[in-house]
């Protein structure tokens, strides 16, 4: 594999910063392609380790029972592999040194995702999981998502989102090179729908936003036309049912359906609220951190309960 890697000719002393890109929408997704183009244009050494198909909403699932397939893919400006695994698999393999013949990235970026990942949605997100897996492995990382709205957004907005995030990416790379990037977190970045008029960058905390869905019974196993984040896109299926499967005898089928978002009052400085206000939000996220604000109260509660039970 070493003969195929043009970056091998560059010495460690003078090499450009190395950025690994992954996502959950799949290696052919336009958000990833636009991001790679921007990074390559900024003269970063770009590596891509991304799923070979859409893995939206798989959270932090990993592959354990079988080997992963890695297939070379031609993406201009990058050394790229399509991986038969989840976003967490792709990030883990990409930073391991095994896929890219010993080269470990300085920074991992997961995205650009179609659909925001704010509030409790980061639990479901494969995009966020890709960045989290890099963080688990000691590599600085960002997850980037664009707030796609079906009646307003176009693919060109993903290109604008990539352009808008470059100052932040450059700033993070600077901190990484100077070993001053915070070690206890990775950044979850969300870009507003009207990205061409975004108000600036804003540091936020994770809120509690959750677009609650429901279920309805169906008779046809039809693939979903949008991810869970973009369920506000109007995709009424009036076309052919080619590729669908009829329900078998003694079997019920149920599909998820989006629910209306309640206009709940959100706290100040939270990710979803700032995103809706037009900011690119930057939220520091720990791995799976304990919520320390409850510790004193819970200590008192536990001592009281244990004492009363003795």
């Amino acid at each position: 594999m070493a003969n195929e890697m043009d970056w091998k000719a560059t010495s460690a002393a003078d090499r450009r910063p190395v950025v690994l890109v992954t996502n959950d929408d799949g290696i052919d997704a336009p958000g990833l392609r636009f991001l790679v183009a921007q990074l390559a244009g900024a003269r970063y050494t770009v590596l891509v380790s991304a799923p070979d198909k859409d893995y939206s909403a798989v959270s932090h699932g990993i592959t354990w029972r079988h080997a992963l397939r890695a297939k070379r893919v031609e993406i201009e400006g990058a050394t790229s592999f399509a991986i038969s695994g989840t976003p967490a698999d792709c990030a883990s393999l990409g930073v391991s040194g095994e896929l890219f013949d010993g080269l470990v990235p300085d920074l991992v970026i997961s995205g650009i995702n179609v659909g925001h990942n704010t509030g409790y949605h980061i639990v479901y997100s494969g995009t966020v999981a890709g960045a989290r897996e890099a963080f688990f492995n000691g590599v600085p990382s960002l997850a980037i998502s664009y707030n796609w709205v079906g009646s307003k957004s176009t693919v060109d907005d993903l290109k604008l989102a990539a352009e808008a995030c470059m100052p932040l990416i450059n700033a993070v790379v600077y901190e990484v090179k100077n070993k001053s990037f915070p070690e206890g977190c990775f950044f979850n970045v969300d870009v507003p729908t009207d990205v061409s008029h975004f108000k600036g960058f804003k540091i936020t905390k994770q809120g509690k936003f959750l677009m609650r869905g429901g279920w309805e019974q169906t008779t046809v196993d039809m693939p979903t036309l949008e991810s869970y984040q973009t369920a506000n896109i109007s995709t009424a299926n009036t076309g052919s049912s080619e590729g669908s499967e009829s329900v078998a005898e003694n079997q019920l089928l149920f599909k998820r359906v989006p629910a209306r978002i309640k206009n709940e009052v959100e706290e100040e400085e939270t990710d979803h609220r700032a995103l809706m206000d037009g900011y690119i939000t930057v939220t520091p996220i720990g791995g799976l951190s304990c919520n320390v604000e409850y510790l004193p109260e819970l200590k008192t509660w536990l001592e009281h309960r244990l004492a009363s039970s003795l």
Side-chain angles (χ1 to χ4, degrees), residues 135-136 140 180-187 284-289:
F135 167 74
F136 284 166
S180 53
F181 187 79
E183 296 182 354
C185 68
F186 63 96
F187 288 171
I285 302 290
L288 295 170
S289 302

Side-chain angles (χ1 to χ4, degrees), residues 3 13 27 33 61 64 68 80 110 153 162 168 178 183 199 219 236 269 285 289:
N3 292 333
I27 197 164
R33 297 301 180 105
W64 187 263
L68 297 178
S80 307
S110 186
S153 301
L168 174 65
N178 287 279
E183 296 182 354
K199 296 179 180 179
T219 58
E269 307 301 322
I285 302 290
S289 302

Side-chain angles (χ1 to χ4, degrees), residues 146-158:
Y146 166 72
N147 185 31
W148 182 282
V149 174
S151 60
K152 300 179 181 179
S153 301
T154 69
V155 172
D156 287 341
D157 289 319
L158 296 172

Side-chain angles (χ1 to χ4, degrees), residues 16-306:
R16 295 173 290 173
V18 181
V19 180
L20 172 72
V21 180
T22 190
N23 70 352
D24 73 357
D25 291 328
I27 197 164
D28 293 322
L32 180 145
R33 297 301 180 105
F34 287 136
L35 177 59
V36 168
Q38 286 294 315
L39 293 169
R43 299 191 59 77
Y44 290 114
T45 296
V46 185
L47 312 175
V48 177
S49 174
D52 58 7
K53 61 182 179 181
D54 190 342
Y55 272 90
S56 295
V58 298
S59 191
H60 208 107
I62 61 172
T63 302
W64 187 263
R65 296 183 182 274
H66 57 81
L68 297 178
R69 297 183 304 276
K71 180 181 178 181
R72 280 296 297 262
V73 174
E74 293 300 321
I75 300 179
E76 186 175 356
T79 302
S80 307
F81 287 90
I83 311 297
S84 63
T86 67
D89 289 332
C90 296
S92 178
L93 181 59
V95 305
S96 69
E98 294 295 326
L99 184 62
F100 297 105
D101 200 24
L103 187 63
V104 176
D106 301 298
L107 176 70
V108 172
I109 305 177
S110 186
I112 294 172
N113 189 65
V114 174
H116 73 81
N117 281 300
T118 60
Y120 288 152
H121 281 281
I122 71 168
V123 174
Y124 301 111
S125 171
T127 301
V128 176
R132 187 189 296 114
E133 182 67 20
F135 167 74
F136 284 166
N137 284 273
V139 180
S141 58
L142 309 174
I144 304 179
S145 304
Y146 166 72
N147 185 31
W148 182 282
V149 174
S151 60
K152 300 179 181 179
S153 301
T154 69
V155 172
D156 287 341
D157 289 319
L158 296 172
K159 182 179 181 181
L160 294 177
E163 294 172 355
C165 287
M166 284 306 298
L168 174 65
I169 292 170
N170 292 335
V172 169
V173 170
Y174 177 84
E175 298 299 336
V176 170
K177 288 177 64 178
N178 287 279
K179 302 186 184 303
S180 53
F181 187 79
E183 296 182 354
C185 68
F186 63 96
F187 288 171
N188 184 39
V189 181
D190 285 276
V191 180
T193 304
D194 188 8
V195 58
S196 60
H197 298 97
F198 79 96
K199 296 179 180 179
F201 294 88
K202 194 170 198 177
I203 299 294
T204 57
K205 60 183 179 180
Q206 182 190 354
K208 299 178 181 179
F209 175 82
L210 179 63
M211 187 171 64
R212 296 173 176 85
W215 293 91
E216 68 179 30
Q217 191 170 350
T218 183
T219 58
V220 178
D221 188 9
M222 178 66 68
T224 303
L225 299 181
E226 71 280 339
S227 70
Y228 75 102
Q229 303 104 318
T230 58
N232 58 341
I233 298 176
S234 177
T235 54
N237 181 24
T238 58
S240 169
S241 60
E242 182 180 355
S244 64
E245 296 182 7
S246 298
V247 62
E249 188 177 358
N250 299 323
Q251 185 181 58
L252 300 177
L253 291 178
F254 294 88
K255 66 178 181 179
R256 287 187 182 270
V257 292
R260 291 186 178 275
I261 302 174
K262 296 180 180 179
N263 292 322
E264 299 176 352
V265 177
E266 297 181 89
E267 295 180 50
E268 294 283 349
E269 307 301 322
T270 56
D271 47 7
H272 186 258
R273 179 168 177 172
L275 180 68
M276 294 300 103
D277 286 342
Y279 291 93
I280 294 179
T281 62
V282 182
T283 308
I285 302 290
L288 295 170
S289 302
C290 169
N291 194 331
V292 295
E293 68 177 282
Y294 291 110
L295 288 181
E297 178 183 345
L298 289 175
K299 285 180 180 178
T300 302
W301 170 82
L302 186 61
E303 291 170 358
H304 172 73
R305 289 299 181 188
L306 288 179

